[in-house]
Amino acid sequence: MAHLKYYQFDFKAMGSPCSIQLYAKSEKRGRDAAEMAITDVNRLEALYSRYRADSFLSEINRVAAIAGNITVDEETAGLLDYAATCYQQSDGLFDITSGILRQAWNFKSSQLPTNEEIDRIKEKIGWNQLVWKRPFLSFGVPGMEIDFGGVVKEYAVDRAAALCSDAGIRHGVVNLGGDIKIIGSHPDDSPWRIAIRHPRHPDTALITLLLRAGAVASSGDYERCITINGMRYGHVLNPKTGWPVRHMAAVSIVGEYCVVAGSASTIGMLKEEQGSEWLSELGLPYLWVDVSGNTGGSLLEAETV
């Protein structure tokens, strides 16, 4: 086998620092593979960003605002199918129509929303209030929105890793803001070391995973939060109450696909006190930390997966 060299390509996408680390026979081969993957990540951000008025997601939400209907392409249909599955498997807690709650929650302010504000927005939340019959999407209530925030970054990770593999890369890691997919071990078959940070001590690793394959994703209340009167309010919002989850501080999951690990970690957060039991029944390697600092999960016993 020709000698492989290590290359790292750093970039920013989807509001996060990102990197692709890989081994290739030459810098050109490595760069060509990484640029193909990065181009696709940028394509997905352009399509599904809620911050861009020219994104397809913004077009969908302009239709949603008037309770209209729209025909979507095959890729968007796949994301909607996955969102429907997550909604069903989470008993309605994973709901891509709940992003609209950000209108009530400003994590840069020091004010809590009122119950009246939240109740007014909750009327526009509910996957069950739209009709999804591939390829037609219809909205039953004016002013609704959808937000692929809990799905697209992880989907982009999986696609980026697959594109690198298609380009002949056999050893590498794709990392989009902490959502990670392993393309293959180091060339000497040693695992990649993936640190899971502590939700209350971001400079401290809770555990270090040793991975040769698969994906890892985490969800936590540490990304965006406010503290008012000594009470911490994180950005993971329960669509049924409109308020932040209060039991789990962070959940990490290892799976074959990043998109599955990502949605499952979010559902684990949303399940509150039932999160630990739900994660155990799911059957994927997992780790949780609750707001009191207690930890649990199968990853604590076996750090090599």
Side-chain angles (χ1 to χ4, degrees):
M1 186 174 73
H3 183 64
L4 298 173
K5 291 183 180 176
Y6 170 85
Y7 301 100
Q8 179 168 335
F9 303 92
D10 296 322
F11 61 105
K12 196 159 192 280
M14 300 186 179
S16 305
C18 306
S19 74
I20 295 176
Q21 302 171 63
L22 51 78
Y23 288 87
K25 292 176 182 176
S26 68
E27 183 177 1
K28 183 181 186 309
R29 285 199 181 187
R31 187 173 297 282
D32 286 350
E35 285 183 352
M36 194 186 310
I38 293 166
T39 297
D40 195 63
V41 172
N42 291 334
R43 177 188 70 85
L44 290 168
E45 182 170 15
L47 272 174
Y48 299 117
S49 171
R50 63 180 170 83
Y51 299 105
R52 297 176 59 150
D54 61 345
S55 72
F56 184 48
L57 179 67
S58 291
E59 186 180 336
I60 291 172
N61 285 335
R62 284 191 288 272
V63 169
I66 57 171
N69 56 75
I70 190 170
T71 303
V72 305
D73 59 276
E74 189 65 23
E75 187 168 42
T76 306
L79 293 172
L80 289 167
D81 285 345
Y82 187 73
T85 299
C86 291
Y87 179 79
Q88 290 153 8
Q89 294 188 353
S90 66
D91 297 318
L93 289 171
F94 190 103
D95 190 332
I96 64 166
T97 70
S98 65
I100 198 169
L101 281 165
R102 70 178 177 279
Q103 293 179 3
W105 287 94
N106 179 358
F107 291 99
K108 292 177 181 172
S109 81
S110 57
Q111 277 188 304
L112 292 177
T114 64
N115 285 319
E116 289 74 22
E117 281 180 280
I118 287 175
D119 287 344
R120 196 164 59 245
I121 292 171
K122 273 166 54 184
E123 293 172 2
K124 300 170 186 174
I125 294 173
W127 175 266
N128 57 330
Q129 297 199 89
L130 53 78
V131 178
W132 167 232
K133 289 186 177 175
R134 187 188 258 263
F136 305 108
L137 180 63
S138 305
F139 294 88
V141 178
M144 288 184 76
E145 284 187 14
I146 63 171
D147 186 342
F148 285 125
V151 179
V152 162
K153 184 152 69 81
E154 296 85 350
Y155 169 69
V157 172
D158 290 328
R159 277 192 56 87
L163 286 166
C164 287
S165 294
D166 290 347
I169 302 301
R170 296 291 171 262
H171 310 277
V173 174
V174 173
N175 182 343
L176 302 189
D179 292 321
I180 293 165
K181 172 86 168 154
I182 311 293
I183 301 164
S185 66
H186 292 280
D188 64 0
D189 197 41
S190 62
W192 295 89
R193 298 174 64 82
I194 309 294
I196 304 294
R197 67 176 177 169
H198 194 291
R200 295 293 179 267
H201 310 287
D203 296 331
T204 305
L206 195 61
I207 61 170
T208 299
L209 303 176
L210 306 176
L211 300 177
R212 291 183 177 86
V216 59
S218 302
S219 183
D221 67 3
Y222 46 81
E223 291 174 22
R224 295 187 303 281
C225 65
I226 48 175
T227 302
I228 297 174
N229 299 327
M231 187 70 72
R232 185 188 186 96
Y233 298 88
H235 79 284
V236 181
L237 304 173
N238 184 319
K240 296 182 179 183
T241 66
W243 287 80
V245 297
R246 300 291 293 277
H247 183 71
M248 292 292 191
V251 174
S252 296
I253 289 186
V254 175
E256 184 179 357
Y257 296 105
C258 194
V259 71
V260 173
S263 54
S265 64
T266 301
I267 294 168
M269 293 282 295
L270 290 165
K271 284 285 184 179
E272 301 272 8
E273 288 84 354
Q274 286 74 49
S276 168
E277 183 183 351
W278 184 86
L279 290 164
S280 176
E281 290 173 357
L282 184 67
L284 294 173
Y286 68 98
L287 165 72
W288 56 261
V289 184
D290 69 17
V291 293
S292 303
N294 302 307
T295 60
S298 56
L299 283 172
L300 290 175
E301 287 87 61
E303 295 181 12
T304 303
V305 181

